[in-house]
Amino acid sequence: MLTWKEKRRVPTNIETVWKLFQPDQLHRIMPKVVGHELIEGDAGEVGSKYRQSYQEGKRVETYVVETIAHEDEEDYKYLKVTFNIGKAFNIETSYTVITKGSTESLLTYEGVNRGINWFGKLFIKLAPTSKNDQVVQEFLDRVVEEAKKEQAGS
């Protein structure tokens, strides 16, 4: 099992950050996600499911992402999703955004990647944690960058 939890201050208001986590904006913070289509339920609701496609090089992997928690309050936003990739991994990720004043937010990105078959378990056991740490930091950097662009454009 591989876990992470990182926090990052974002120099924009909470609504600007939260906008980036909406289905029609995900490509901005997750550029390798090349498809994200609602297939069940209502957008932003617990139980909603999306068909998502992720491209790594020439390979495209398609899977179903389910929203398992969602809160959208004035100064607190929370989204938690789960999905399986390649019958080898179960991944849960969550994003929490809280207000830190009118011009700053705090984003917490956490998750767990579990192997669900022998290959997935072995892969996680042998994978260097530094690579996962790098992916997490790059994601947070992208959110901050896109939030700044969004705020500058509004």
Side-chain angles (χ1 to χ4, degrees):
M1 181 168 62
L2 181 63
T3 62
W4 63 93
K5 181 176 182 176
E6 291 291 328
K7 296 181 179 191
R8 182 74 58 91
R9 288 192 176 273
V10 184
T12 63
N13 67 59
I14 192 170
E15 293 299 333
T16 300
V17 178
W18 190 240
K19 181 177 181 180
L20 298 171
F21 289 89
Q22 303 314 301
D24 65 334
Q25 298 294 311
L26 272 183
H27 64 280
R28 294 175 61 186
I29 57 174
M30 300 176 188
K32 292 182 180 183
V33 171
V34 295
H36 188 77
E37 171 191 10
L38 181 66
I39 58 172
E40 187 176 312
D42 294 321
E45 297 293 323
V46 172
S48 61
K49 293 183 181 179
Y50 296 84
R51 180 176 300 109
Q52 191 171 84
S53 297
Y54 178 89
Q55 184 168 2
E56 186 70 50
K58 292 181 179 180
R59 194 186 74 181
V60 176
E61 185 80 35
T62 300
Y63 44 88
V64 175
V65 176
E66 181 177 358
T67 302
I68 56 177
H70 184 272
E71 293 183 51
D72 187 357
E73 304 298 327
E74 187 176 330
D75 56 1
Y76 176 84
K77 316 287 186 185
Y78 181 72
L79 174 65
K80 185 172 186 177
V81 299
T82 186
F83 53 97
N84 291 341
I85 293 184
K87 298 179 185 173
F89 307 100
N90 170 259
I91 300 170
E92 280 185 12
T93 58
S94 68
Y95 314 92
T96 306
V97 188
I98 59 173
T99 297
K100 288 291 185 186
S102 61
T103 60
E104 189 174 62
S105 304
L106 180 65
L107 170 64
T108 303
Y109 173 40
E110 57 189 306
V112 60
N113 184 345
R114 295 179 187 89
I116 54 177
N117 64 16
W118 69 268
F119 172 78
K121 290 175 184 174
L122 181 63
F123 185 87
I124 288 173
K125 191 173 195 166
L126 297 177
T129 56
S130 60
K131 177 64 176 163
N132 188 67
D133 293 344
Q134 178 185 351
V135 169
V136 169
Q137 294 304 319
E138 288 172 358
F139 172 75
L140 292 169
D141 291 346
R142 205 165 26 258
V143 172
V144 170
E145 179 183 323
E146 288 299 322
K148 288 178 181 177
K149 285 181 191 175
E150 181 67 28
Q151 187 166 26
S154 38

